[in-house]
Amino acid sequence: MFSSSKPNNKKKSKKSLFKRIMAWLHLWLGLASGIIVVIVSLTGCIYVFENEIKDFIEDWRFVKPQEKAFLLPSQLVSIADKKMKDKKATSVTFGAKDEAAIVGYFVEKKEEGGLGEKGEQKRGDRKKDLAQNQEKAKSELKTQAKSSGKEKEKKGKGRRNGTFISVYMNPYTGEILNVKTFSRGESPDFFRWILNGHRALWLPYDIGRPIVGVAVLIFVVLLISGIVLWWPTKWIKSIIDKSFKIKWDASFKRVNYDMHNVFGFYSCIFLFFIAVTGLVWSFGWWSKSLYWVTSGGKPLVENRESPKSDTTHVKEFNITTTDKVLLNLRKENPQAAGILISIPAKPADPIGAFVYKQRHTFYNMDRYSFDQQTLKEISIKTPFSGKYVEANIPDKIRRMNYDIHVGSVLGLTGKIIAFLASLISASLPITGFIIWWGKQKFGKKKPAAKTTVAAKAIPAPKLKNTAEQEVTA
């Protein structure tokens, strides 16, 4: 009657120790990180199509193309500065003929609410002092070069807490189409809110980012252990069908199990690349290790100091210098999808320039730095500096990191793949939990119930006399 228990014991004994360890890790690590993976995956799904959604709903991002040249950066900045009054532009971006130009502003948090006349006066006085005193400019340059890691960290935090303002303008007429403000902290726009959840679970970045990083690191382990558990024991048709196909007409329990296994397998390779590239922003050691692997053992050069302009002949910066930079870059890159020019705030700051080869794609852009006085190109050793075509293979891979993460490295097709993979990623903790919960609730049967079933299956014959009863007993 109870012989059915023996085959189960044999089945359990057939599992290798390695697979049992993988199953244990897959279960408990999945339960521990599940809710975080769901949040990160769902926010990632939405953020993948940020630009496409904005293009559809934000009509001020586009203009009617005209058969004439764009206004120069100095002209657009002059108009935008009047609108923004006490703020100074930090960048100008030009796109295609049907796209609005953008004059960008950044306001540090400490200046918000108190940046009026007093804030602007302090900034103006400082500029004049630096322009008139070469020795003071040199001293400041040396001080910046010797700045400690803590000061860099404070600067980074200040930038995260600051406010970004984008003034959308008609590049042909200078008409202001819209002013959009967002910050990484208070009152962000919708996609900034989504990104805050994706990167830090809407917690302060110093707290949320490591939590997300650990959860994603666990997710990589889950992907590996999942493949180990999924791998068919025998490559025969019946087992292969169960591994690669979902039996939609089966019970809910079976369909849920198939969805977890089959969808998990098909999305595994894409989720692996998404997770690996995402960890670059969570852990410095991961970023350096990944570069070390892709470069064949070369260390990552992390020079966070921006290039410096020559301060031996300091004079007040003239905004028309950016016009020359734009015209030169347009001449060299007539097919560019967009050009961004950064405006220096200090005598030692360079004029930065980004030349985008494709719209909404960043890995193959060229990045330049020019001396603000002489317009001489300044080189700096980082994976992101210079022309993409001139970069070595590991630097090209590092430049691709963001585009691989969101799928844009393969264009719209890649984004669709990233979206579907992230959607499956969000479902895996849910389907996995349902599998576990089902085993907890229905997996164990009481011995009494087994006895009853057995008794019903083999009914006892009716006994005719006492002797038969005694034999039966």
Side-chain angles (χ1 to χ4, degrees), residues 37 68 83 90 132 146 209 212 290 315 360 382 394 418 454:
V37 171
K68 64 178 183 179
K83 171 72 175 179
T90 55
Q132 293 172 359
K146 295 178 181 179
R209 184 183 286 183
V212 170
L290 189 61
K315 61 181 179 180
H360 302 330
T382 69

Side-chain angles (χ1 to χ4, degrees), residues 203-397:
L203 297 170
Y205 266 52
D206 292 341
I207 299 173
R209 184 183 286 183
I211 294 174
V212 170
V214 171
V216 174
L217 198 58
I218 290 174
F219 186 68
V220 173
V221 177
L222 292 173
L223 291 174
I224 297 171
S225 61
I227 286 294
V228 171
L229 298 174
W230 169 88
W231 199 263
T233 53
K234 293 181 179 179
W235 290 90
I236 58 178
K237 189 177 185 305
S238 58
I239 296 178
I240 290 173
D241 285 345
K242 291 179 182 179
S243 300
F244 290 93
K245 297 178 183 178
I246 298 174
K247 192 175 181 181
W248 294 106
D249 58 348
S251 64
F252 169 77
K253 187 176 180 180
R254 172 62 187 275
V255 171
N256 181 75
Y257 180 83
D258 285 351
M259 287 175 64
H260 187 79
N261 285 348
V262 177
F263 283 163
F265 165 74
Y266 284 124
S267 63
C268 182
I269 186 66
F270 303 108
L271 291 176
F272 179 79
F273 280 107
I274 291 172
V276 166
T277 52
L279 285 169
V280 167
W281 294 292
S282 294
F283 302 115
W285 61 267
W286 181 275
S287 176
K288 293 175 182 177
S289 300
L290 189 61
Y291 187 88
W292 185 85
V293 170
T294 57
S295 65
K298 295 180 181 179
L300 173 64
V301 178
E302 283 191 307
N303 191 345
R304 295 186 179 275
E305 288 291 333
S306 61
K308 303 298 180 184
S309 293
D310 184 6
T311 56
T312 55
H313 297 90
V314 179
K315 61 181 179 180
E316 189 174 354
F317 175 71
N318 190 336
I319 188 63
T320 58
T321 310
T322 59
D323 301 343
K324 299 177 184 177
V325 173
L326 177 67
L327 294 174
N328 290 338
L329 291 176
R330 273 186 183 165
K331 186 177 180 180
E332 295 175 9
N333 304 272
Q335 302 300 322
I339 297 176
L340 182 150
I341 308 292
S342 70
I343 302 171
K346 302 175 183 177
D349 291 343
I351 298 174
F354 299 84
V355 179
Y356 303 97
K357 305 296 183 177
Q358 296 171 260
R359 194 165 184 266
H360 302 330
T361 304
F362 303 99
Y363 75 92
N364 55 356
M365 71 178 182
D366 297 334
R367 180 177 178 177
Y368 303 89
S369 296
F370 301 100
D371 186 291
Q372 62 171 279
Q373 305 296 336
T374 64
L375 294 187
K376 181 181 178 181
E377 187 175 346
I378 309 169
S379 61
I380 184 171
K381 292 183 179 180
T382 69
F384 299 95
S385 298
K387 296 181 179 180
Y388 173 77
V389 294
E390 295 177 357
N392 56 34
I393 292 177
D395 285 354
K396 284 181 177 178
I397 293 174

